Amino acid sequence: MSYARETAPLPQGKITAILVLTTLMWGGSFLFNKIGMREIPPVQFFFFRFALAALLMGIVCIPRLGRLNRQIVRRGAVVGIALAAVNLSFVLGVSGTTISRAGYLNNLFVIFIPLLSFFFWRERVDRVTSGGVLLAVAGLWFLASGGAEGFNRGDVLSTVCALFIAVHIIAVSRVLRDEDVYLVTLVQFATVACVGAVISLALPWPAFRVGAAGGWSLAYCAIFPTVICFTLQNTFQRYTTPTRAGLIYTLDPVWSMLAGVFILGERLTSREFSGCMLILAAVAGPLAVRLYLEQKQRSLYRLGAAGEAAEEGE
């Protein structure tokens, strides 16, 4: 048995801090998507963001392009299609609801992953996850009954986005092997940009003008939660446990809610706030329990190893 702490190139505290930073940048994307889409329609924003991200990632990958092969292109395209579904539903969801609600609904992907694994591969759903599902359902009910519009179209699309996030995570874990993560990321971004181009050309192109707010929002979303976040997560997440990383990522909706309340002036009713907190508990609770069990198992492993060493010393 091996542990991330023992193989990490940096102290675990620094790795945690880097992953927390990625949640801050991703939480900021809710805010900047909302601001940017005041000037740029959602589908066009989606296309421009990933076209710019693919261009920037292509520049980063120039020294690696000689290693690009059919396998990387094929597998990167598969997960790229899933990523396109994630981000298309994301922009459409955020454009139709508050970023406070969207952030918590997107985080339901943690619940969807074990459910999809059960339905498609019959992987067992433990009691802790089942409890999380029940809390999530309660949270959705509070959200649906708490807002002025109920559970609106944007909320539905934000929930669908969470489902696609789960699909993308499963696709990455089952499709990708030992490929160059930078090249795979480049192919993913290029695939998303191509999907965005096709959709943009298939639909009527609305008239719009990109001002300073839209331009800066687009630049932020392309650079920070896309190129930088993917690079940091691909580089450092592998040096911690999935449970610890998942628990850190539950900070995403906290940042989006704070941005919504203090910058956009969004206000949640008591029922909406209760729904968000129930969804947070549904996501973070099972992860916290698993982290506790992991740490307990780690302690037992170390005690056993120390006992074996002592016996060998005798």
Side-chain angles (χ1 to χ4, degrees):
M1 183 181 296
S2 61
Y3 292 103
R5 183 188 299 270
E6 297 168 354
T7 59
L10 292 174
Q12 195 69 22
K14 288 187 178 181
I15 293 172
T16 298
I18 290 170
L19 295 181
V20 168
L21 178 62
T22 68
T23 70
L24 183 60
M25 289 188 283
W26 179 250
S29 74
F30 287 84
L31 171 65
F32 284 101
N33 268 274
K34 196 75 170 180
I35 293 173
M37 286 186 290
R38 291 172 178 173
E39 298 180 357
I40 308 171
V43 173
Q44 281 68 32
F45 191 94
F46 159 71
F47 165 58
F48 291 145
R49 170 185 174 179
F50 278 90
L52 180 56
L55 175 62
L56 294 173
M57 201 67 197
I59 294 172
V60 172
C61 289
I62 286 175
R64 301 168 178 265
L65 291 178
R67 306 178 203 166
L68 192 63
N69 55 44
R70 289 184 180 179
Q71 178 171 286
I72 291 176
V73 172
R74 184 173 61 253
R75 292 182 174 177
V78 169
V79 294
I81 291 171
L83 186 61
V86 168
N87 284 277
L88 182 59
S89 57
F90 173 76
V91 294
L92 294 174
V94 168
S95 68
T97 190
T98 65
I99 64 174
S100 302
R101 292 166 69 106
Y104 284 95
L105 291 170
N106 282 178
N107 230 31
L108 286 171
F109 77 87
V110 176
I111 300 295
F112 283 134
I113 289 174
L115 293 180
L116 288 174
S117 297
F118 170 76
F119 284 120
F120 288 101
W121 296 283
R122 295 302 177 196
E123 294 182 5
R124 178 177 170 270
V125 178
D126 56 40
R127 286 180 293 178
V128 174
T129 301
S130 299
V133 171
L134 293 177
L135 279 177
V137 171
L140 290 172
W141 183 80
F142 272 88
L143 276 181
S145 59
E149 301 179 9
F151 204 71
N152 63 26
R153 174 176 169 273
D155 296 326
V156 172
L157 287 169
S158 294
T159 306
V160 171
C161 178
L163 178 62
F164 283 136
I165 293 172
V167 170
H168 178 256
I169 291 172
I170 293 172
V172 168
S173 66
R174 290 185 174 268
V175 173
L176 301 183
R177 295 293 181 265
D178 298 321
E179 290 82 9
D180 186 308
V181 293
Y182 289 89
L183 291 175
V184 169
T185 302
L186 170 61
V187 174
Q188 284 189 77
F189 290 170
T191 301
V192 178
C194 289
V195 171
V198 170
I199 295 174
S200 297
L201 292 173
L203 297 175
W205 189 277
F208 62 91
R209 180 178 176 275
V210 182
W216 283 111
S217 297
L218 193 60
Y220 175 90
C221 290
I223 296 170
F224 292 98
T226 310
V227 173
I228 294 179
C229 273
F230 269 85
T231 301
L232 289 177
Q233 288 176 355
N234 288 336
T235 302
F236 294 101
Q237 183 180 316
R238 54 187 165 169
Y239 295 115
T240 191
T241 66
T243 304
R244 186 184 296 273
L247 197 56
I248 292 169
Y249 295 153
T250 60
L251 287 172
D252 287 352
V254 176
W255 305 131
S256 66
M257 186 178 72
L258 291 175
V261 170
F262 291 105
I263 299 177
L264 298 182
E266 296 178 353
R267 293 293 180 267
L268 295 173
T269 66
S270 59
R271 291 185 71 84
E272 285 181 296
F273 183 76
S274 297
C276 289
M277 292 302 101
L278 282 171
I279 290 174
L280 180 62
V283 172
L287 289 172
V289 171
R290 291 192 190 98
L291 182 61
Y292 167 76
L293 293 175
E294 282 180 5
Q295 291 176 333
K296 185 176 180 181
Q297 185 180 20
R298 179 182 299 182
S299 298
L300 292 173
Y301 171 78
R302 287 176 173 170
L303 286 173
E308 289 177 2
E311 290 178 2
E312 290 177 359
E314 293 175 359

